[in-house]
Coordinates of all heavy atoms in Angstrom, one line a residue:
M1 N -3.9 -12.2 36.8 CA -3.5 -12.9 35.6 C -2.8 -12.0 34.6 O -3.3 -10.9 34.3 CB -4.7 -13.5 34.9 CG -4.5 -14.2 33.7 SD -6.0 -15.0 33.0 CE -5.5 -16.7 33.1
P2 N -1.6 -12.3 34.1 CA -0.9 -11.4 33.2 C -1.7 -11.3 31.9 O -2.3 -12.2 31.4 CB 0.4 -12.2 33.0 CG 0.2 -13.6 33.3 CD -0.9 -13.6 34.3
R3 N -1.6 -10.1 31.4 CA -2.2 -9.7 30.1 C -1.3 -10.1 28.9 O -0.1 -9.8 28.9 CB -2.6 -8.3 30.1 CG -3.3 -7.9 28.8 CD -3.7 -6.4 29.0 NE -4.3 -6.0 27.7 CZ -4.1 -4.8 27.2 NH1 -3.4 -3.9 27.8 NH2 -4.7 -4.5 26.1
I4 N -1.9 -10.8 28.0 CA -1.1 -11.2 26.8 C -1.2 -10.1 25.8 O -2.3 -9.8 25.3 CB -1.6 -12.6 26.2 CG1 -1.4 -13.7 27.3 CG2 -0.8 -12.9 24.9 CD1 -2.0 -15.0 26.9
E5 N -0.1 -9.5 25.4 CA -0.1 -8.4 24.4 C 0.5 -8.9 23.1 O 1.6 -9.3 23.0 CB 0.7 -7.3 25.0 CG 0.7 -6.1 24.1 CD -0.7 -5.5 24.0 OE1 -1.2 -5.1 25.1 OE2 -1.2 -5.4 22.9
T6 N -0.4 -9.0 22.1 CA 0.1 -9.5 20.8 C 0.7 -8.3 20.0 O 1.5 -8.6 19.1 CB -1.0 -10.1 20.0 OG1 -2.0 -9.2 19.7 CG2 -1.7 -11.3 20.8
G7 N 0.2 -7.1 20.2 CA 0.7 -6.0 19.5 C 0.1 -5.9 18.1 O 0.5 -5.0 17.3
V8 N -0.8 -6.8 17.7 CA -1.4 -6.8 16.3 C -2.9 -6.6 16.5 O -3.5 -7.4 17.1 CB -1.0 -8.0 15.6 CG1 -1.7 -8.0 14.2 CG2 0.5 -8.2 15.5
R9 N -3.4 -5.5 15.9 CA -4.9 -5.3 15.9 C -5.5 -6.1 14.7 O -4.8 -6.3 13.7 CB -5.2 -3.8 15.8 CG -4.6 -3.0 16.9 CD -5.0 -1.6 16.8 NE -4.7 -1.1 15.4 CZ -5.5 -0.2 14.8 NH1 -6.6 0.2 15.3 NH2 -5.2 0.1 13.6
V10 N -6.8 -6.4 14.9 CA -7.5 -7.1 13.8 C -7.4 -6.3 12.5 O -7.2 -6.8 11.4 CB -9.0 -7.4 14.2 CG1 -9.8 -7.9 13.0 CG2 -9.0 -8.4 15.3
E11 N -7.6 -5.0 12.6 CA -7.6 -4.1 11.5 C -6.3 -4.2 10.7 O -6.2 -4.2 9.5 CB -7.9 -2.6 11.9 CG -9.3 -2.4 12.3 CD -9.6 -2.8 13.8 OE1 -8.6 -3.2 14.4 OE2 -10.7 -2.7 14.2
D12 N -5.2 -4.3 11.5 CA -3.9 -4.4 10.9 C -3.7 -5.7 10.1 O -3.1 -5.8 9.1 CB -2.8 -4.2 11.9 CG -2.8 -2.8 12.6 OD1 -3.2 -1.9 11.9 OD2 -2.3 -2.7 13.7
K13 N -4.3 -6.8 10.7 CA -4.2 -8.1 10.1 C -5.0 -8.1 8.8 O -4.6 -8.6 7.8 CB -4.7 -9.2 11.0 CG -3.7 -9.4 12.2 CD -4.2 -10.5 13.1 CE -3.9 -11.8 12.5 NZ -4.2 -12.9 13.4
L14 N -6.2 -7.5 8.8 CA -7.1 -7.5 7.6 C -6.4 -6.7 6.5 O -6.6 -6.9 5.4 CB -8.4 -6.9 8.0 CG -9.3 -7.7 8.9 CD1 -10.6 -7.0 9.2 CD2 -9.6 -9.1 8.3
F15 N -5.6 -5.7 6.9 CA -5.0 -4.8 5.9 C -4.0 -5.6 5.1 O -3.6 -5.2 4.0 CB -4.3 -3.6 6.6 CG -3.7 -2.6 5.7 CD1 -4.5 -1.8 4.9 CD2 -2.3 -2.6 5.5 CE1 -3.9 -0.9 4.0 CE2 -1.7 -1.7 4.6 CZ -2.5 -0.8 3.9
Q16 N -3.6 -6.8 5.6 CA -2.6 -7.6 4.9 C -3.2 -8.3 3.7 O -2.6 -8.7 2.8 CB -2.0 -8.6 5.8 CG -1.3 -8.1 7.0 CD -0.1 -7.3 6.7 OE1 0.6 -7.6 5.7 NE2 0.2 -6.3 7.5
N17 N -4.6 -8.4 3.7 CA -5.3 -9.1 2.7 C -5.2 -8.3 1.4 O -5.2 -7.0 1.4 CB -6.7 -9.4 3.0 CG -6.8 -10.3 4.2 OD1 -5.9 -11.1 4.5 ND2 -7.9 -10.2 5.0
R18 N -5.4 -8.9 0.3 CA -5.5 -8.2 -1.0 C -6.7 -8.7 -1.7 O -7.2 -9.8 -1.4 CB -4.2 -8.5 -1.9 CG -2.9 -8.0 -1.3 CD -2.9 -6.4 -1.3 NE -1.7 -5.9 -0.6 CZ -1.7 -5.5 0.6 NH1 -2.8 -5.6 1.4 NH2 -0.6 -5.1 1.2
Y19 N -7.2 -7.8 -2.6 CA -8.5 -8.2 -3.3 C -8.4 -7.9 -4.8 O -8.0 -6.8 -5.2 CB -9.6 -7.3 -2.7 CG -11.0 -7.8 -3.1 CD1 -11.6 -8.8 -2.4 CD2 -11.6 -7.3 -4.2 CE1 -12.9 -9.3 -2.8 CE2 -12.8 -7.8 -4.6 CZ -13.4 -8.8 -3.9 OH -14.7 -9.3 -4.3
M20 N -8.7 -8.9 -5.6 CA -8.7 -8.8 -7.0 C -10.1 -8.5 -7.5 O -11.0 -9.4 -7.4 CB -8.2 -10.0 -7.7 CG -6.8 -10.4 -7.3 SD -5.5 -9.2 -7.7 CE -5.6 -9.3 -9.5
V21 N -10.4 -7.3 -7.9 CA -11.7 -6.9 -8.3 C -12.1 -7.4 -9.7 O -11.3 -7.3 -10.6 CB -11.8 -5.3 -8.4 CG1 -13.2 -4.9 -8.9 CG2 -11.5 -4.7 -7.0
D22 N -13.3 -8.1 -9.8 CA -13.8 -8.6 -11.1 C -14.7 -7.5 -11.6 O -15.9 -7.5 -11.3 CB -14.5 -9.9 -10.8 CG -14.8 -10.6 -12.1 OD1 -14.4 -10.1 -13.2 OD2 -15.4 -11.7 -12.0
T23 N -14.2 -6.5 -12.3 CA -14.9 -5.3 -12.7 C -16.2 -5.7 -13.4 O -16.2 -6.4 -14.4 CB -14.0 -4.4 -13.5 OG1 -12.8 -4.2 -12.8 CG2 -14.7 -3.1 -13.9
G24 N -17.3 -5.1 -12.9 CA -18.6 -5.3 -13.6 C -19.3 -6.6 -13.3 O -20.3 -6.9 -13.8
R25 N -18.6 -7.5 -12.5 CA -19.2 -8.8 -12.2 C -19.2 -9.0 -10.7 O -18.4 -9.9 -10.2 CB -18.5 -9.9 -12.9 CG -18.6 -9.8 -14.4 CD -17.9 -10.9 -15.1 NE -18.7 -12.2 -14.9 CZ -18.6 -13.2 -15.6 NH1 -17.8 -13.2 -16.7 NH2 -19.3 -14.3 -15.4
P26 N -20.0 -8.3 -9.9 CA -20.0 -8.5 -8.5 C -20.5 -9.9 -8.1 O -21.4 -10.4 -8.7 CB -20.9 -7.4 -7.9 CG -21.8 -7.1 -9.1 CD -20.9 -7.3 -10.3
H27 N -19.8 -10.6 -7.2 CA -20.2 -11.9 -6.8 C -21.4 -12.0 -5.9 O -22.0 -13.0 -5.6 CB -19.1 -12.7 -6.3 CG -18.5 -12.3 -5.0 ND1 -17.7 -11.1 -4.9 CD2 -18.6 -12.8 -3.8 CE1 -17.4 -11.0 -3.6 NE2 -17.9 -12.0 -2.9
I28 N -21.8 -10.8 -5.3 CA -22.9 -10.7 -4.4 C -23.8 -9.6 -4.9 O -23.3 -8.5 -5.2 CB -22.5 -10.5 -2.9 CG1 -21.6 -11.6 -2.5 CG2 -23.8 -10.4 -2.0 CD1 -20.9 -11.3 -1.1
T29 N -25.1 -9.8 -5.0 CA -26.0 -8.7 -5.4 C -27.2 -8.6 -4.4 O -27.6 -9.7 -3.8 CB -26.5 -8.8 -6.8 OG1 -27.2 -10.1 -6.9 CG2 -25.4 -8.7 -7.8
V30 N -27.7 -7.4 -4.2 CA -28.9 -7.2 -3.3 C -30.1 -7.1 -4.3 O -30.0 -6.4 -5.3 CB -28.7 -6.0 -2.5 CG1 -30.0 -5.7 -1.7 CG2 -27.5 -6.1 -1.5
K31 N -31.1 -7.9 -4.0 CA -32.3 -7.8 -4.8 C -33.0 -6.5 -4.6 O -33.0 -5.9 -3.5 CB -33.3 -8.9 -4.4 CG -32.8 -10.3 -4.7 CD -32.8 -10.6 -6.2 CE -32.1 -11.9 -6.6 NZ -32.7 -13.1 -6.1
P32 N -33.6 -5.9 -5.7 CA -34.3 -4.6 -5.6 C -35.3 -4.6 -4.5 O -36.0 -5.6 -4.4 CB -34.9 -4.4 -7.0 CG -34.1 -5.3 -7.9 CD -33.7 -6.5 -7.1
H33 N -35.4 -3.6 -3.7 CA -36.4 -3.5 -2.7 C -36.7 -2.0 -2.4 O -35.9 -1.1 -2.7 CB -35.9 -4.2 -1.4 CG -34.6 -3.6 -0.9 ND1 -33.3 -3.9 -1.4 CD2 -34.3 -2.6 0.1 CE1 -32.4 -3.2 -0.8 NE2 -33.0 -2.4 0.1
D34 N -37.9 -1.8 -1.8 CA -38.2 -0.4 -1.4 C -37.8 -0.1 0.0 O -37.1 0.9 0.2 CB -39.8 -0.2 -1.5 CG -40.3 -0.3 -3.0 OD1 -39.5 0.2 -3.8 OD2 -41.4 -0.8 -3.2
K35 N -38.1 -1.0 0.9 CA -37.7 -0.8 2.3 C -37.0 -2.0 2.7 O -37.5 -3.1 2.5 CB -39.0 -0.6 3.1 CG -38.7 -0.2 4.6 CD -40.0 0.2 5.3 CE -39.7 0.4 6.7 NZ -40.6 -0.2 7.7
P36 N -35.8 -1.9 3.3 CA -35.0 -3.1 3.7 C -35.7 -3.8 4.9 O -36.2 -3.2 5.8 CB -33.7 -2.6 4.1 CG -33.9 -1.1 4.4 CD -35.1 -0.7 3.6
S37 N -35.6 -5.1 4.9 CA -36.0 -5.9 6.0 C -35.0 -5.8 7.2 O -33.9 -5.3 6.9 CB -36.1 -7.4 5.6 OG -34.7 -7.9 5.5
P38 N -35.4 -6.1 8.4 CA -34.4 -6.0 9.5 C -33.2 -6.8 9.2 O -32.1 -6.3 9.6 CB -35.2 -6.6 10.7 CG -36.6 -6.3 10.3 CD -36.8 -6.5 8.8
N39 N -33.3 -8.0 8.6 CA -32.0 -8.8 8.3 C -31.2 -8.0 7.3 O -29.9 -8.0 7.4 CB -32.4 -10.1 7.8 CG -32.7 -11.1 8.9 OD1 -32.6 -10.8 10.1 ND2 -33.0 -12.4 8.5
L40 N -31.8 -7.5 6.3 CA -31.0 -6.8 5.3 C -30.3 -5.6 5.9 O -29.2 -5.3 5.6 CB -31.9 -6.4 4.1 CG -31.3 -6.1 2.7 CD1 -30.4 -7.2 2.3 CD2 -32.4 -5.8 1.7
L41 N -31.0 -4.9 6.7 CA -30.5 -3.7 7.4 C -29.3 -4.1 8.3 O -28.4 -3.4 8.4 CB -31.6 -3.0 8.2 CG -31.5 -1.6 8.5 CD1 -31.2 -0.8 7.2 CD2 -32.8 -1.1 9.2
A42 N -29.5 -5.3 8.9 CA -28.4 -5.7 9.8 C -27.1 -5.9 9.1 O -26.0 -5.8 9.7 CB -28.8 -7.1 10.5
L43 N -27.1 -6.2 7.8 CA -25.9 -6.4 7.1 C -25.0 -5.1 7.1 O -23.8 -5.3 7.0 CB -26.2 -6.8 5.6 CG -26.9 -8.1 5.4 CD1 -27.1 -8.4 3.9 CD2 -26.2 -9.2 6.1
T44 N -25.6 -4.0 7.2 CA -24.8 -2.7 7.3 C -23.9 -2.7 8.6 O -23.0 -1.9 8.7 CB -25.6 -1.5 7.2 OG1 -26.5 -1.4 8.4 CG2 -26.5 -1.5 5.9
R45 N -24.3 -3.6 9.6 CA -23.6 -3.6 10.8 C -22.7 -4.8 11.0 O -21.7 -4.8 11.7 CB -24.6 -3.5 12.0 CG -25.4 -2.2 12.0 CD -26.2 -2.0 13.3 NE -27.1 -3.1 13.5 CZ -28.3 -3.2 13.0 NH1 -28.8 -2.3 12.2 NH2 -29.1 -4.3 13.2
V46 N -23.1 -6.0 10.4 CA -22.4 -7.2 10.7 C -21.3 -7.6 9.7 O -20.5 -8.4 10.1 CB -23.4 -8.4 10.9 CG1 -24.4 -8.1 12.0 CG2 -24.1 -8.7 9.6
C47 N -21.4 -7.0 8.6 CA -20.4 -7.4 7.6 C -19.0 -6.9 8.1 O -18.8 -5.7 8.2 CB -20.7 -6.8 6.2 SG -19.3 -7.0 5.0
P48 N -18.0 -7.8 8.3 CA -16.7 -7.3 8.8 C -16.0 -6.5 7.8 O -15.1 -5.7 8.2 CB -16.0 -8.7 9.1 CG -16.7 -9.7 8.2 CD -18.1 -9.2 8.1
A49 N -16.3 -6.6 6.5 CA -15.6 -5.7 5.5 C -16.3 -4.5 5.2 O -15.9 -3.7 4.4 CB -15.4 -6.6 4.3
K50 N -17.5 -4.3 5.9 CA -18.3 -3.1 5.7 C -18.7 -2.9 4.2 O -18.6 -1.8 3.6 CB -17.6 -1.8 6.2 CG -17.2 -2.0 7.7 CD -17.0 -0.7 8.4 CE -16.6 -0.8 9.8 NZ -17.3 -1.8 10.6
C51 N -19.1 -3.9 3.6 CA -19.5 -3.9 2.1 C -20.9 -3.3 1.9 O -21.2 -2.9 0.8 CB -19.4 -5.3 1.5 SG -17.7 -6.0 1.4
Y52 N -21.7 -3.4 3.0 CA -23.1 -3.0 2.8 C -23.3 -1.6 3.4 O -22.8 -1.2 4.5 CB -24.0 -3.9 3.6 CG -24.1 -5.3 2.9 CD1 -23.2 -6.3 3.3 CD2 -25.1 -5.6 2.0 CE1 -23.3 -7.5 2.7 CE2 -25.2 -6.8 1.4 CZ -24.3 -7.8 1.7 OH -24.3 -9.0 1.1
E53 N -24.1 -0.7 2.7 CA -24.4 0.6 3.1 C -25.9 0.9 2.7 O -26.4 0.3 1.7 CB -23.5 1.6 2.4 CG -22.1 1.7 2.9 CD -21.3 2.8 2.2 OE1 -21.7 3.2 1.1 OE2 -20.3 3.2 2.8
Q54 N -26.4 1.9 3.4 CA -27.8 2.4 3.0 C -27.6 3.6 2.1 O -26.7 4.4 2.4 CB -28.6 2.8 4.2 CG -29.3 1.7 4.9 CD -30.2 2.2 6.0 OE1 -29.7 2.6 7.0 NE2 -31.5 2.2 5.7
N55 N -28.3 3.6 1.0 CA -28.3 4.8 0.1 C -29.2 5.9 0.7 O -29.8 5.7 1.7 CB -28.5 4.4 -1.3 CG -30.0 3.9 -1.5 OD1 -30.9 4.2 -0.7 ND2 -30.2 3.2 -2.6
E56 N -29.3 7.0 -0.1 CA -30.1 8.1 0.4 C -31.6 7.8 0.5 O -32.3 8.5 1.2 CB -29.8 9.4 -0.5 CG -30.3 9.3 -1.9 CD -29.4 8.5 -2.8 OE1 -28.3 8.1 -2.3 OE2 -29.8 8.2 -3.9
R57 N -32.0 6.8 -0.2 CA -33.4 6.4 -0.1 C -33.7 5.3 1.0 O -34.8 4.8 1.1 CB -33.9 5.8 -1.5 CG -33.9 6.9 -2.6 CD -34.4 6.4 -3.9 NE -33.6 5.3 -4.4 CZ -32.4 5.4 -5.0 NH1 -31.9 6.6 -5.2 NH2 -31.8 4.3 -5.5
G58 N -32.6 4.9 1.7 CA -32.8 4.0 2.8 C -32.6 2.5 2.3 O -32.7 1.6 3.1
Q59 N -32.4 2.3 1.0 CA -32.2 1.0 0.5 C -30.8 0.5 0.8 O -29.8 1.3 0.9 CB -32.5 0.9 -1.0 CG -33.9 1.3 -1.3 CD -34.0 1.8 -2.7 OE1 -33.1 2.3 -3.3 NE2 -35.2 1.7 -3.3
V60 N -30.6 -0.8 1.0 CA -29.3 -1.4 1.3 C -28.6 -1.7 0.0 O -29.2 -2.4 -0.9 CB -29.4 -2.6 2.2 CG1 -28.1 -3.3 2.4 CG2 -30.0 -2.2 3.5
E61 N -27.4 -1.3 -0.2 CA -26.6 -1.6 -1.4 C -25.3 -2.3 -0.9 O -24.8 -2.1 0.2 CB -26.2 -0.3 -2.1 CG -27.4 0.5 -2.6 CD -27.0 1.8 -3.3 OE1 -25.9 2.4 -2.9 OE2 -27.7 2.3 -4.1
I62 N -24.7 -3.0 -1.9 CA -23.4 -3.6 -1.6 C -22.4 -3.2 -2.6 O -22.7 -3.0 -3.8 CB -23.6 -5.2 -1.6 CG1 -22.2 -5.8 -1.3 CG2 -24.1 -5.7 -3.0 CD1 -22.3 -7.3 -1.0
T63 N -21.2 -3.0 -2.1 CA -20.0 -2.9 -2.9 C -19.1 -4.1 -2.5 O -18.6 -4.1 -1.4 CB -19.2 -1.6 -2.7 OG1 -20.1 -0.5 -2.9 CG2 -18.0 -1.5 -3.6
A64 N -19.1 -5.1 -3.3 CA -18.5 -6.4 -2.9 C -17.0 -6.4 -2.9 O -16.4 -7.3 -2.4 CB -19.0 -7.5 -3.9
D65 N -16.4 -5.3 -3.4 CA -14.9 -5.2 -3.3 C -14.5 -5.2 -1.9 O -15.0 -4.5 -1.1 CB -14.4 -3.9 -3.9 CG -14.9 -3.7 -5.4 OD1 -15.5 -4.6 -5.9 OD2 -14.6 -2.6 -5.9
G66 N -13.6 -6.1 -1.6 CA -13.1 -6.2 -0.2 C -13.8 -7.3 0.6 O -13.4 -7.6 1.7
C67 N -14.8 -7.9 0.0 CA -15.5 -9.0 0.7 C -14.5 -10.1 1.0 O -13.7 -10.5 0.2 CB -16.6 -9.6 -0.2 SG -17.3 -11.2 0.3
M68 N -14.6 -10.6 2.3 CA -13.7 -11.7 2.7 C -14.3 -13.1 2.6 O -13.8 -14.0 3.2 CB -13.3 -11.4 4.2 CG -12.5 -10.1 4.3 SD -12.0 -9.8 6.0 CE -13.6 -9.4 6.8
E69 N -15.5 -13.2 2.0 CA -16.2 -14.5 1.8 C -16.4 -15.2 3.1 O -16.3 -16.4 3.2 CB -15.4 -15.3 0.8 CG -15.2 -14.7 -0.5 CD -14.2 -15.4 -1.4 OE1 -14.0 -16.6 -1.2 OE2 -13.6 -14.8 -2.3
C70 N -16.8 -14.4 4.1 CA -17.0 -15.1 5.5 C -18.4 -15.8 5.5 O -18.6 -16.7 6.3 CB -17.0 -14.0 6.6 SG -18.4 -12.9 6.6
G71 N -19.3 -15.4 4.6 CA -20.6 -16.0 4.6 C -21.7 -15.5 5.5 O -22.8 -16.0 5.5
T72 N -21.4 -14.5 6.3 CA -22.3 -14.0 7.2 C -23.6 -13.5 6.5 O -24.7 -13.8 6.9 CB -21.7 -12.8 8.0 OG1 -20.6 -13.3 8.7 CG2 -22.7 -12.3 9.0
C73 N -23.4 -12.7 5.5 CA -24.6 -12.2 4.8 C -25.3 -13.3 4.0 O -26.5 -13.3 3.9 CB -24.2 -11.1 3.8 SG -23.0 -11.6 2.5
R74 N -24.6 -14.3 3.6 CA -25.2 -15.4 3.0 C -26.2 -16.2 3.9 O -27.3 -16.5 3.6 CB -24.1 -16.4 2.5 CG -24.7 -17.5 1.6 CD -23.6 -18.4 1.1 NE -24.1 -19.2 0.0 CZ -23.3 -20.1 -0.7 NH1 -22.1 -20.2 -0.4 NH2 -23.9 -20.8 -1.6
V75 N -25.7 -16.4 5.1 CA -26.5 -17.1 6.1 C -27.8 -16.2 6.5 O -28.9 -16.7 6.6 CB -25.7 -17.4 7.4 CG1 -26.6 -17.8 8.5 CG2 -24.6 -18.4 7.1
L76 N -27.5 -14.9 6.6 CA -28.6 -14.0 7.0 C -29.7 -13.8 6.0 O -30.9 -13.7 6.3 CB -28.0 -12.7 7.5 CG -28.7 -11.9 8.6 CD1 -29.0 -12.8 9.8 CD2 -27.9 -10.7 9.0
C77 N -29.3 -13.6 4.7 CA -30.2 -13.1 3.7 C -30.4 -13.9 2.4 O -31.3 -13.6 1.7 CB -29.8 -11.6 3.4 SG -30.2 -10.5 4.7
E78 N -29.5 -14.9 2.2 CA -29.7 -15.6 1.0 C -30.9 -16.6 1.0 O -31.7 -16.7 0.1 CB -28.5 -16.5 0.6 CG -28.5 -17.0 -0.8 CD -27.4 -17.9 -1.1 OE1 -27.0 -18.8 -0.3 OE2 -26.8 -17.7 -2.2
P79 N -31.2 -17.2 2.2 CA -32.4 -18.1 2.2 C -33.7 -17.4 1.9 O -34.6 -17.9 1.3 CB -32.4 -18.6 3.7 CG -30.9 -18.6 4.1 CD -30.4 -17.3 3.4
S80 N -33.8 -16.1 2.3 CA -35.0 -15.3 2.0 C -35.0 -14.7 0.6 O -36.0 -14.1 0.2 CB -35.1 -14.2 3.1 OG -34.0 -13.3 3.0
G81 N -33.9 -14.9 -0.1 CA -33.8 -14.4 -1.5 C -33.5 -12.9 -1.6 O -33.6 -12.3 -2.6
E82 N -33.1 -12.3 -0.4 CA -32.9 -10.9 -0.5 C -31.5 -10.5 -1.1 O -31.3 -9.4 -1.5 CB -32.9 -10.3 1.0 CG -34.3 -10.4 1.5 CD -34.4 -10.0 3.0 OE1 -33.9 -10.7 3.8 OE2 -34.8 -8.9 3.2
I83 N -30.6 -11.5 -1.1 CA -29.4 -11.3 -1.8 C -29.1 -12.6 -2.6 O -29.6 -13.6 -2.3 CB -28.1 -11.1 -0.8 CG1 -27.8 -12.3 0.0 CG2 -28.4 -9.8 0.0 CD1 -26.5 -12.2 0.8
E84 N -28.2 -12.4 -3.6 CA -27.8 -13.5 -4.4 C -26.3 -13.6 -4.1 O -25.5 -12.6 -4.3 CB -28.0 -13.4 -5.9 CG -27.6 -14.6 -6.6 CD -28.0 -14.5 -8.1 OE1 -29.0 -13.9 -8.4 OE2 -27.2 -15.1 -8.9
W85 N -25.8 -14.8 -3.7 CA -24.4 -14.9 -3.2 C -23.7 -16.0 -4.0 O -24.2 -17.1 -4.2 CB -24.4 -15.3 -1.8 CG -23.2 -15.1 -1.0 CD1 -23.0 -14.1 -0.1 CD2 -22.0 -15.9 -0.9 NE1 -21.7 -14.2 0.5 CE2 -21.1 -15.3 0.0 CE3 -21.6 -17.0 -1.6 CZ2 -19.8 -15.8 0.2 CZ3 -20.3 -17.5 -1.3 CH2 -19.5 -16.9 -0.4
N86 N -22.6 -15.7 -4.6 CA -21.7 -16.7 -5.3 C -20.3 -16.4 -4.9 O -19.9 -15.3 -4.5 CB -21.9 -16.5 -6.8 CG -23.3 -16.8 -7.3 OD1 -23.7 -18.0 -7.3 ND2 -24.0 -15.8 -7.6
Y87 N -19.5 -17.4 -5.1 CA -18.0 -17.2 -4.9 C -17.6 -16.4 -6.1 O -18.1 -16.5 -7.2 CB -17.3 -18.5 -4.8 CG -17.4 -19.1 -3.4 CD1 -18.2 -20.3 -3.3 CD2 -16.7 -18.6 -2.3 CE1 -18.3 -20.8 -2.0 CE2 -16.8 -19.2 -1.1 CZ -17.6 -20.3 -0.9 OH -17.8 -20.9 0.3
P88 N -16.5 -15.6 -5.9 CA -15.9 -14.9 -7.1 C -15.4 -15.9 -8.1 O -15.1 -17.1 -7.7 CB -14.8 -14.1 -6.5 CG -15.1 -14.0 -5.0 CD -15.8 -15.3 -4.7
R89 N -15.3 -15.5 -9.3 CA -14.7 -16.3 -10.3 C -13.2 -16.6 -10.0 O -12.6 -15.8 -9.2 CB -14.7 -15.6 -11.7 CG -16.1 -15.5 -12.3 CD -16.0 -15.1 -13.7 NE -15.3 -13.8 -13.9 CZ -14.8 -13.4 -15.0 NH1 -14.8 -14.2 -16.1 NH2 -14.2 -12.2 -15.2
G90 N -12.7 -17.7 -10.5 CA -11.3 -18.0 -10.2 C -10.3 -16.9 -10.6 O -10.5 -16.2 -11.6
G91 N -9.4 -16.6 -9.7 CA -8.4 -15.5 -9.9 C -8.9 -14.2 -9.4 O -8.1 -13.2 -9.4
F92 N -10.2 -14.1 -8.9 CA -10.7 -12.9 -8.4 C -11.1 -13.1 -6.9 O -11.1 -14.2 -6.4 CB -11.9 -12.4 -9.2 CG -11.6 -12.0 -10.6 CD1 -11.8 -13.0 -11.6 CD2 -11.0 -10.8 -10.9 CE1 -11.5 -12.7 -12.9 CE2 -10.7 -10.5 -12.2 CZ -10.9 -11.4 -13.2
G93 N -11.3 -12.0 -6.2 CA -11.8 -12.0 -4.9 C -10.6 -11.8 -3.9 O -9.5 -11.3 -4.3
V94 N -10.8 -12.2 -2.7 CA -9.9 -12.0 -1.6 C -8.7 -12.9 -1.7 O -8.8 -14.1 -2.1 CB -10.5 -12.1 -0.2 CG1 -10.9 -13.5 0.1 CG2 -9.7 -11.5 0.9
L95 N -7.5 -12.3 -1.4 CA -6.3 -13.1 -1.3 C -5.8 -13.0 0.1 O -5.3 -11.9 0.5 CB -5.2 -12.6 -2.3 CG -5.6 -12.5 -3.7 CD1 -4.5 -11.8 -4.5 CD2 -5.8 -13.9 -4.3
F96 N -5.9 -14.0 0.9 CA -5.5 -14.0 2.3 C -4.0 -14.2 2.3 O -3.4 -15.1 1.8 CB -6.2 -15.1 3.1 CG -7.6 -14.8 3.3 CD1 -8.5 -15.6 2.6 CD2 -8.1 -13.8 4.1 CE1 -9.9 -15.4 2.7 CE2 -9.5 -13.6 4.3 CZ -10.4 -14.4 3.6
K97 N -3.3 -13.2 3.0 CA -1.8 -13.3 3.1 C -1.4 -13.7 4.5 O -1.0 -14.8 4.8 CB -1.2 -12.0 2.6 CG -1.4 -11.8 1.1 CD -0.8 -10.5 0.7 CE 0.8 -10.7 0.6 NZ 1.4 -9.4 0.2
F98 N -1.7 -12.8 5.4 CA -1.3 -13.0 6.8 C -2.5 -12.8 7.8 O -2.3 -13.0 8.9 CB -0.2 -12.0 7.2 CG 1.0 -12.0 6.3 CD1 1.1 -10.9 5.4 CD2 1.8 -13.1 6.2 CE1 2.2 -10.9 4.5 CE2 2.9 -13.0 5.3 CZ 3.1 -11.9 4.4
G99 N -3.6 -12.5 7.2 CA -4.8 -12.1 8.1 C -5.5 -13.3 8.7 O -5.2 -14.5 8.3
Ligands
SF4_1 S1 -19.5 -12.7 2.8 FE1 -18.9 -11.6 4.7 S2 -17.4 -10.1 4.1 FE2 -18.5 -10.7 2.2 S3 -20.1 -9.2 2.0 FE3 -20.9 -11.0 3.1 S4 -20.7 -10.4 5.3 FE4 -19.4 -9.1 4.1

């Protein structure tokens, strides 16, 4: 079977997106915790924009800049109350161009 070559990598397509930062008003926050739950920890691996990281104390933190509003973290951790998730205010957040 012939291989279909698109010549465009996912990373290159995502690079086409732009993000308007709402300084000081992140639309997603992680609730304070001592030790992250398995679901919270999973966010460091499943977020396509790599917004979640563990700090030096092992707690999970988010930098919402670059969030693509895919909702993965919302499904995984909002029902348990581990994160608070809102859409960005109008005029802020991701601007999909060609991605
Ligand atoms: S909505 Fe998607 S892109 Fe945004 S922080 Fe959650 S998992 Fe990452």
Side-chain angles (χ1 to χ4, degrees):
M1 177 177 241
R3 182 172 173 221
I4 299 172
E5 185 64 59
T6 63
V8 180
R9 298 180 313 142
V10 171
E11 290 80 4
D12 293 334
K13 292 181 79 175
L14 293 177
F15 185 71
Q16 302 294 329
N17 298 331
R18 295 293 175 260
Y19 192 87
M20 300 298 291
V21 177
D22 194 358
T23 306
R25 298 184 66 159
H27 65 286
I28 305 171
T29 55
V30 176
K31 295 287 173 63
H33 58 279
D34 292 325
K35 186 174 177 228
S37 71
N39 275 3
L40 203 50
L41 206 50
L43 297 183
T44 63
R45 298 188 303 274
V46 301
C47 171
K50 305 201 182 316
C51 292
Y52 291 89
E53 287 183 337
Q54 275 187 287
N55 64 22
E56 66 283 352
R57 295 182 302 280
Q59 298 157 334
V60 173
E61 296 178 333
I62 182 171
T63 303
D65 301 356
C67 167
M68 295 182 288
E69 301 170 25
C70 71
T72 303
C73 60
R74 186 176 196 180
V75 170
L76 208 55
C77 290
E78 191 183 49
S80 60
E82 294 174 287
I83 67 169
E84 184 175 329
W85 200 103
N86 295 286
Y87 283 105
R89 292 191 301 156
F92 295 98
V94 68
L95 304 172
F96 292 106
K97 294 179 76 179
F98 309 107

